[in-house]
Amino acid sequence: MKHLRYLFLLLVVFTLPTFAQVELENIEDDDDSNVADSAMVDTLQNDSVALPWPQGIQHKLSRLANSVMFKTSQLGMMVYDLDADSTIFCFNEKQLMRPASTMKLITAITAIDKLGGDYQFKTELCYTGKVENHTLKGNIYCVGGFDPRFNSDDLNAFVEAIQKMGVDTIIGTLYADKSMKDDKQFGEGWCWDDDNNVLSPLIISRKDIFMGRFLEELRKRKIVVNDATIDDGRRPADAYCIVNRFHTIDQILMRMLKESDNLYAEAMYYQIAASTGNHPASAKSARAVERRLVEKIGLIPSQYKFADGSGLSLYNYVSPELEVKMLRYAYENDNIYNHLNQALPIAGVDGTLKKRMKGGFASGNVRAKTGTVTGISSLAGYCKSANGHTLCFSIINQGLIHGRNGRAFQDRVCTVLCSPN
């Protein structure tokens, strides 16, 4: 048995010489680089072994999975044929690994499943008291709903709503109602030296400077705010709400997935949490919803570790099998898939895949979420095979010193999946 294993390793080494050489040459990592070694793909395309579907793909993926790069790094991979309802390829598919930003797929699927495709991210303006002689004798409440897209135009709408009431003077306090979520500013397991946005439910232009900007805009419009007192406080039940600004779940998903925006992902995570009715919303509540979905798709929730919605956390541990089962669940539910699929980056076209897989069989075909943190590179999503079948896949490369090697490997896998045998 040992002799057979030794002979197999020799075969792998001698059939993959170019790839091994390039691995040694990649001594620097550049996350923005489009540098990718295509020699391995060429070798596979020139392979003289002609096998029927899906054996041809399985043969090529087996060769890739046994590359010498995995002497110093780990691979977890699973490919599933959604039309044939069968697994095409597995390699360490149950291995727990850090998903990086492919965690956003799990967040997105859970959110659409729980919240629905017509869900809105809202920020409201309310007041108490009475308006007499153009003066509001009462308090203003800006009620945060963790909308990461809230911007200057939305803030202008708030101020204009006050003007339309005929108010030019406010005698009272400006309150920031941040009660929608807990007071944790960052996710669990986030690195202390990362430059991350504060997770506040009341933000403008991605920053926790809402009330200062609001007061500034009031003054620009010649609305007098006596003493200009700003405080935190929850909107009372008898407050009148005069305007709300909202963005749709599709608007949030588009940037969250196409551009891999961490703030948008965390905002989505806290919408999941808020939907449970727990107040204030917490990551713990979101995790409970995720676990119920994991159980629904036939896996055991306690075998995985969920920490945040974006994949920044060092505490997330999932498996390629889990990601594939999530993608299968989404595909089988049109209400989820239609929202998810349009927001995924397209290879060679847009988002975080714009510079990858250009010009080959995978270009314009693969729709997938990328993931990159130190030591991790991942890719999970959908593609069409040459026989017209829709496939879903998850690839997690872990223990990488040079992230572009992981991306090059994933691109090769996708090329194999999309190419004729």
Side-chain angles (χ1 to χ4, degrees):
M1 193 68 182
K2 288 183 178 179
H3 292 300
L4 287 174
R5 194 174 302 165
Y6 178 72
L7 287 172
F8 178 75
L9 287 173
L10 283 176
L11 176 63
V12 169
V13 170
F14 283 110
T15 54
L16 305 175
T18 307
F19 191 73
Q21 179 182 356
V22 173
E23 276 295 308
L24 293 173
E25 291 174 355
N26 282 342
I27 58 174
E28 292 182 359
D29 186 28
D30 180 1
D31 284 346
D32 296 325
S33 172
N34 193 31
V35 175
D37 168 30
S38 62
M40 186 59 183
V41 177
D42 292 339
T43 302
L44 289 174
Q45 289 173 341
N46 295 329
D47 196 328
S48 60
V49 179
L51 297 171
W53 171 271
Q55 285 85 4
I57 283 179
Q58 292 166 340
H59 169 70
K60 293 174 183 178
L61 293 183
S62 293
R63 292 184 59 196
L64 281 171
N66 284 286
S67 164
V68 293
M69 74 180 285
F70 300 120
K71 287 184 176 181
T72 57
S73 65
Q74 300 82 50
L75 169 67
M77 180 164 65
M78 185 172 182
V79 181
Y80 196 87
D81 187 328
L82 293 162
D83 291 305
D85 194 22
S86 62
T87 301
I88 289 180
F89 187 79
C90 288
F91 189 93
N92 291 337
E93 76 279 6
K94 295 181 182 295
Q95 180 68 50
L96 294 180
M97 309 176 91
R98 288 173 56 201
S101 280
T102 57
M103 190 73 190
K104 292 182 177 72
L105 273 178
I106 297 173
T107 300
I109 293 168
T110 304
I112 305 168
D113 185 55
K114 177 68 175 177
L115 305 174
D118 58 353
Y119 186 82
Q120 297 175 341
F121 290 60
K122 296 180 182 178
T123 308
E124 292 184 293
L125 179 69
C126 309
Y127 76 94
T128 57
K130 294 182 178 181
V131 178
E132 296 177 347
N133 299 322
H134 303 290
T135 299
L136 171 61
K137 294 181 179 179
N139 301 319
I140 295 285
Y141 293 84
C142 296
V143 186
F146 210 157
D147 179 0
R149 282 183 65 99
F150 193 97
N151 57 30
S152 298
D153 290 339
D154 299 306
L155 188 64
N156 288 337
F158 273 23
V159 177
E160 287 171 3
I162 294 173
Q163 288 181 314
K164 288 177 181 178
M165 291 171 58
V167 172
D168 60 21
T169 303
I170 299 172
I171 300 176
T173 301
L174 305 180
Y175 282 102
D177 185 342
K178 301 180 180 181
S179 61
M180 176 260 191
K181 70 173 289 292
D182 57 29
D183 59 2
K184 292 182 178 179
Q185 294 189 330
F186 302 104
E188 294 183 30
W190 286 13
C191 290
W192 65 269
D193 55 349
D194 282 345
D195 184 18
N196 295 313
N197 295 104
V198 171
L199 303 183
S200 169
L202 193 59
I203 52 178
I204 179 169
S205 301
R206 308 176 63 89
K207 297 179 181 178
D208 187 20
I209 55 173
F210 192 103
M211 297 308 291
R213 287 281 302 277
F214 182 48
L215 178 58
E216 179 184 345
E217 198 60 36
L218 289 171
R219 286 173 170 165
K220 282 183 181 179
R221 303 292 186 92
K222 308 302 181 184
I223 298 175
V224 177
V225 184
N226 286 355
D227 298 327
T229 303
I230 297 176
D231 203 352
D232 289 344
R234 189 170 181 179
R235 169 190 58 189
D238 61 350
Y240 301 96
C241 293
I242 56 175
V243 66
N244 76 72
R245 299 290 287 184
F246 68 86
H247 292 98
T248 66
I249 194 171
D250 284 328
Q251 288 176 302
I252 306 304
L253 282 169
M254 195 65 67
R255 182 172 177 115
M256 168 184 164
L257 298 179
K258 291 279 190 190
E259 306 302 328
S260 199
D261 193 299
N262 295 318
L263 179 64
Y264 279 53
E266 295 305 328
M268 189 74 77
Y269 205 53
Y270 276 94
Q271 307 301 322
I272 297 170
S275 72
T276 65
N278 294 330
H279 198 94
S282 67
K284 181 179 180 181
S285 296
R287 289 192 283 267
V289 179
E290 283 178 315
R291 291 189 184 105
R292 284 196 292 273
L293 183 54
V294 169
E295 191 169 23
K296 185 176 181 179
I297 64 176
L299 296 176
I300 302 172
S302 61
Q303 293 182 349
Y304 308 96
K305 177 69 175 177
F306 304 121
D308 67 3
S310 62
L312 279 175
S313 178
L314 300 173
Y315 302 156
N316 292 311
Y317 277 95
V318 303
S319 67
E321 179 188 41
L322 171 60
E323 291 192 334
V324 163
K325 287 216 170 191
M326 282 284 190
L327 290 165
R328 285 176 59 195
Y329 178 77
Y331 185 78
E332 291 163 0
N333 292 269
D334 288 344
N335 290 334
I336 300 175
Y337 183 72
N338 291 337
H339 293 277
L340 178 71
N341 193 50
Q342 68 176 348
L344 288 171
I346 304 172
V349 176
D350 64 13
T352 54
L353 285 178
K354 186 175 183 178
K355 296 181 179 180
R356 292 174 59 177
M357 296 178 260
K358 294 177 73 72
F361 290 105
S363 182
N365 184 338
V366 173
R367 290 174 178 258
K369 182 72 199 73
T370 58
T372 305
V373 294
T374 301
I376 307 290
S377 180
S378 54
L379 187 70
Y382 303 97
C383 67
K384 282 276 189 183
S385 63
N387 68 350
H389 286 202
T390 300
L391 313 179
C392 65
F393 62 88
S394 171
I395 311 164
I396 303 178
N397 293 100
Q398 183 169 274
L400 296 171
I401 298 298
H402 311 298
R404 66 182 177 186
N405 291 337
R407 293 189 291 277
F409 174 82
Q410 295 149 20
D411 293 354
R412 293 188 182 94
V413 169
C414 289
T415 299
V416 167
L417 297 179
C418 299
S419 300
N421 274 352

